[in-house]
Amino acid sequence: MASKELILSVEDLTVSFDGFKAVDGLNFYLDKDELRVVIGPNGAGKTTVLDLICGKTKATNGRIRFKDKELTKLSEHQIVREGVGRKFQTPSIYENLSVFQNLEVSFPKGRSVFGSIAFKRSELVTERVRAVAEEVLLTDVPDLEAGLLSHGQKQWLEIGMLLMQDPELLMLDEPIAGMSVRERELTAQLLQRICKGRSMIVIEHDMDFVKKIADKVTVLHQGKVIAEGSMDKVQADEKVIDVYLGH
Amino acid sequence: MQNNLLKSFAGRQGWTSILVLALVLMVVFPLGLDIFRLNLVGKYLAYAFVAVGLVVLWGYGGILSLGQGVFFGLGGYCMAMFLKLEASDPISTKIQSTPGIPDFMDWNQLTALPSLWQPFQSFSFSLLAVIAVPVLLALIMGLAMFKRRVGGVYFAIITQAVALILSVLIIGQQGYTGGVNGITDLKTLLGWDIRTDTAKYILYFLCAGLLIGAIITSRYLLGGKFGMLLLAIRDKEDRVRFSGYDVANFKIFAFCFAAGLAAIGGALFTLQVGFMSPSFVGIVPSIEMVIFAAVGGRMSLVGAVYGALLVNFGKTYFSESFPDLWLFLMAALFIGVVMAFPNGIAGLYESIAKRRSAKSDDTKSEPLASAPEKTAAAADKAHWPHPGAATATQS
């Protein structure tokens, strides 16, 4: 594990909202092909860290290096084009488009205005959409308006939209929130399938789920990392028990 | 590929509605109406360009502009400036103290043609300016606002302010613009008298033809990935941004496109009506233009044309009979349509058509979703679109 190359290194990252430091001098390193789960109590700054990496929030201080690129200087769509995909906490899909169209729109070709006007649905695109739809268990409903999907299916669809872009780093914010037990299981399997060949950061509260998928766990508290390591190690950590697991 | 392209057009019931519209505009109206009324319809069709642009911008893109009159007016003024210069030749203006300049300049003690007006002596420049000036303004406004993520109500208010500013500016600069009267007494286009009945017929057909062209162009834009992205931006702007798209560029393009259509409408308006004035630029006409699109159906390119026709017929009729009540009636119409039929006439028509086809389908279709575990192959056959097939947009 130790000899693996880093894909993401976050150093001294700080963001303050009117003096309140949501993330405070955070250091965080992610190996290539690693699946990291970030846990922590409410308000620990988990979502903010993802916002900072994907450019939604601008850092007050610190550096975020993804491969050789400094992300803090790039705009959101440039960060995506570098290979960072991000799923939002509440399913964020295009309700008025069909499942097929949701995936097709996410295909990383025709991203400029004129590129999109000239874009033609080729065999390649259809094949890719079909493959991704199969991956996220939505093969049966390509023509359904996405707004009519169940909550769990919407979550899967958004993951599928990210897979269309084939990101090297995939960040998921509470992917199983609001899912049934069966859907959670399927999602765990899905994550284990799609994490092959890419790095992932997952924010999650459900400890059983975390145990199932995590290579390594990072615990955040008040914008700082208080523990990092395997699930067992983290669960045994005094500090973690004190601020989070114990309650 | 060409076959695919054709399929993506022909596979649409929307084509039928465009054909019906073309028939109505090109055959039914010219045969059924005298030239006075046909000319009136032509004027309404000039407004319909704005409404079609609003379907793209507002219906699909979710960007409400309350300042489309600005672009309509600028297009109209660019055309009017050329026509006015042609009408102001030294012979017909020889009674002025400075012959050869437009009459209103003479009245305002101008003694030479202002440099702003000079290039409008060229027809090709004027034609270019009809489109370029409004699109350039839209580009600047779009860059200034969308790049800074100004949107929604703020955008609407700012466009409204621009409409007010431009109309105040035009009225204030009487010597350069003709002031509140506008630019009047337009006579000929390259020596061709635009006031004759034949000219009015030709201009009407030009207007209707270009309008159908505008609808087909818009349809092509909306039918592809660009249209899907506009809907996606309207729905979840952040998701689009975090899928690698520079959202502002798409909004700017839609805004410029709508501005360009409005400008063409404005130029055709000038040609058919024979004058241009600030009363087509300001806040009230801009809002009326939004009402055309809303009444017709903001998701329907064809519907927008019917909306423009219907509201304008209504306006002509009611403002003649009850001049004081018209504004209230217009407001009531707008509120009523938005509350009762958010998708306008087109939406109403579609839901009726759907209900009817659902009724006839009841008898033959088998119950849906009988097999919970459908095989992928069966699903393929049933649903998966073919490459190049049309992406769903409403007519």
Side-chain angles (χ1 to χ4, degrees):
Chain A
M1 269 304 209
S3 63
K4 281 209 170 170
E5 56 177 307
L6 283 177
I7 189 158
L8 181 78
S9 63
V10 172
E11 278 167 352
D12 196 27
L13 189 67
T14 304
V15 66
S16 71
F17 302 120
D18 296 327
F20 168 71
K21 286 185 173 170
V23 174
D24 188 3
L26 184 84
N27 291 306
F28 180 89
Y29 301 92
L30 188 72
D31 289 332
K32 204 166 179 303
D33 297 345
E34 182 187 346
L35 195 165
R36 176 77 58 96
V37 177
V38 177
I39 61 172
N42 284 334
K46 307 181 296 286
T47 299
T48 310
V49 171
L50 295 200
D51 284 348
L52 285 163
I53 296 172
C54 73
K56 192 168 189 233
T57 306
K58 290 286 165 220
T60 314
N61 212 343
R63 295 182 308 137
I64 303 168
R65 282 194 86 73
F66 174 69
K67 294 188 292 179
D68 304 327
K69 284 269 166 52
E70 177 61 41
L71 294 189
T72 47
K73 292 189 178 63
L74 299 180
S75 61
E76 296 98 325
H77 66 275
Q78 287 169 323
I79 293 174
V80 174
R81 290 177 190 184
E82 287 302 322
V84 179
R86 190 255 168 98
K87 190 196 143 342
F88 294 97
Q89 197 164 344
T90 48
S92 187
I93 54 164
Y94 314 127
E95 311 241 333
N96 293 316
L97 298 182
S98 71
V99 169
F100 186 96
Q101 289 173 326
N102 265 274
L103 294 171
E104 188 187 19
V105 155
S106 310
F107 188 77
K109 280 276 152 56
R111 272 174 165 168
S112 68
V113 171
F114 294 103
S116 76
I117 292 169
F119 181 84
K120 288 274 156 357
R121 181 183 291 174
S122 65
E123 194 72 53
L124 182 79
V125 179
T126 318
E127 270 316 303
R128 179 102 187 97
V129 171
R130 194 192 298 243
V132 168
E134 203 176 319
E135 186 78 276
V136 296
L137 316 169
L138 292 170
T139 322
D140 286 353
V141 287
D143 285 339
L144 191 67
E145 221 177 85
L148 301 174
L149 293 174
S150 74
H151 177 78
Q153 286 176 315
K154 285 182 186 171
Q155 299 276 38
W156 290 338
L157 177 59
E158 197 183 353
I159 294 175
M161 287 156 71
L162 292 169
L163 291 178
M164 287 298 293
Q165 302 159 26
D166 199 15
E168 284 174 76
L169 171 63
L170 186 54
M171 306 191 290
L172 307 177
D173 199 346
E174 303 199 18
I176 61 163
M179 279 188 177
S180 68
V181 179
R182 170 80 182 134
E183 285 172 332
R184 282 167 190 235
E185 248 168 61
L186 289 170
T187 308
Q189 289 164 14
L190 169 65
L191 296 195
Q192 277 157 352
R193 279 199 307 273
I194 63 177
C195 74
K196 299 212 169 67
R198 65 167 58 91
S199 317
M200 284 173 68
I201 303 175
V202 180
I203 293 179
E204 198 40 79
H205 281 296
D206 185 309
M207 286 307 145
D208 295 329
F209 185 76
V210 175
K211 261 185 226 167
K212 243 181 250 169
I213 62 168
D215 294 334
K216 230 166 146 190
V217 177
T218 296
V219 188
L220 285 190
H221 179 55
Q222 293 178 346
K224 288 185 166 119
V225 175
I226 56 166
E228 199 164 87
S230 69
M231 187 66 185
D232 294 334
K233 185 183 148 202
V234 164
Q235 270 182 319
D237 191 296
E238 291 273 321
K239 251 196 291 181
V240 175
I241 293 169
D242 194 38
V243 304
Y244 185 40
L245 298 171
H247 292 290
Chain B
M1 210 70 237
Q2 196 164 17
N3 190 23
N4 284 340
L5 195 73
L6 277 176
K7 218 168 34 180
S8 81
F9 271 103
R12 279 322 162 74
Q13 86 184 92
W15 256 135
T16 330
S17 59
I18 293 181
L19 205 70
V20 170
L21 179 70
L23 277 175
V24 169
L25 297 186
M26 300 290 208
V27 180
V28 177
F29 282 161
L31 287 180
L33 299 173
D34 59 55
I35 185 61
F36 172 74
R37 303 227 168 252
L38 193 68
N39 185 237
L40 216 54
V41 172
K43 180 175 133 184
Y44 304 160
L45 292 183
Y47 285 127
F49 279 89
V50 188
V52 168
L54 277 168
V55 169
V56 176
L57 182 67
W58 177 41
Y60 279 75
I63 304 160
L64 177 59
S65 164
L66 294 177
Q68 290 308 92
V70 167
F71 308 116
F72 183 82
L74 283 176
Y77 265 99
C78 285
M79 181 51 85
M81 283 161 86
F82 172 77
L83 297 175
K84 186 68 187 170
L85 286 181
E86 198 178 296
S88 311
D89 59 286
I91 298 157
S92 44
T93 56
K94 61 177 184 291
I95 50 159
Q96 293 177 184
S97 43
T98 314
I101 63 171
D103 46 13
F104 60 84
M105 289 184 187
D106 197 57
W107 304 334
N108 285 282
Q109 277 86 43
L110 262 64
T111 52
L113 194 62
S115 52
L116 173 74
W117 277 69
Q118 298 284 359
F120 286 93
Q121 287 169 328
S122 147
F123 182 58
S124 39
F125 174 86
S126 305
L127 271 193
L128 186 76
V130 161
I131 310 245
V133 171
V135 169
L136 206 67
L137 178 66
L139 182 69
I140 293 167
M141 286 171 67
L143 281 171
M145 286 193 267
F146 296 131
K147 285 285 179 191
R148 286 179 209 168
R149 314 236 167 118
V150 174
V153 182
Y154 299 101
F155 179 81
I157 291 171
I158 291 170
T159 53
Q160 181 103 104
V162 172
L164 182 64
I165 290 167
L166 186 67
S167 61
V168 168
L169 197 70
I170 290 174
I171 293 170
Q173 298 298 314
Q174 211 170 19
Y176 296 90
T177 61
V180 75
N181 298 323
I183 300 178
T184 54
D185 279 332
L186 308 175
K187 299 184 174 92
T188 54
L189 174 72
L190 297 172
W192 175 56
D193 194 333
I194 55 171
R195 294 162 304 177
T196 63
D197 283 357
T198 334
K200 282 183 176 164
Y201 268 113
I202 292 173
L203 287 172
Y204 172 83
F205 280 107
L206 177 71
C207 184
L210 284 174
L211 183 61
I212 299 291
I215 291 174
I216 291 171
T217 311
S218 307
R219 190 176 169 66
Y220 176 73
L221 278 182
L222 296 177
K225 184 170 179 176
F226 180 79
M228 273 199 286
L229 276 166
L230 279 189
L231 284 176
I233 289 170
R234 191 187 73 183
D235 209 5
K236 289 272 162 33
E237 186 172 326
D238 257 354
R239 184 66 270 164
V240 180
R241 187 169 288 130
F242 289 102
S243 297
Y245 297 97
D246 192 346
V247 170
N249 288 347
F250 287 83
K251 291 185 171 181
I252 292 170
F253 183 85
F255 190 43
C256 289
F257 181 76
L261 285 188
I264 296 173
L268 288 164
F269 182 92
T270 301
L271 281 171
Q272 292 182 94
V273 181
F275 77 102
M276 190 73 213
S277 90
S279 59
F280 307 110
V281 175
I283 289 180
V284 174
S286 295
I287 291 179
E288 281 181 5
M289 290 163 188
V290 172
I291 296 178
F292 303 156
V295 169
R298 64 187 190 130
M299 299 301 289
S300 167
L301 296 164
V302 174
V305 178
Y306 292 119
L309 288 174
L310 196 75
V311 176
N312 276 298
F313 273 125
K315 182 178 176 177
T316 308
Y317 174 73
F318 282 108
S319 62
E320 274 165 14
S321 324
F322 323 96
D324 297 334
L325 279 179
W326 166 245
L327 272 182
F328 294 99
L329 214 78
M330 182 95 136
L333 182 71
F334 184 50
I335 295 168
V337 163
V338 171
M339 304 270 285
F341 319 109
N343 285 322
I345 303 170
L348 198 66
Y349 171 79
E350 247 165 51
S351 64
I352 292 170
K354 217 178 251 175
R355 210 172 301 156
R356 202 172 285 167
S357 75
K359 243 181 216 165
S360 64
D361 273 2
D362 271 353
T363 44
K364 35 188 169 166
S365 72
E366 32 189 304
L368 278 168
S370 50
E373 300 245 319
K374 253 198 237 165
T375 62
D380 279 0
K381 219 189 252 170
H383 302 292
W384 285 95
H386 296 290
T391 49
T393 48
Q394 285 163 285
S395 59

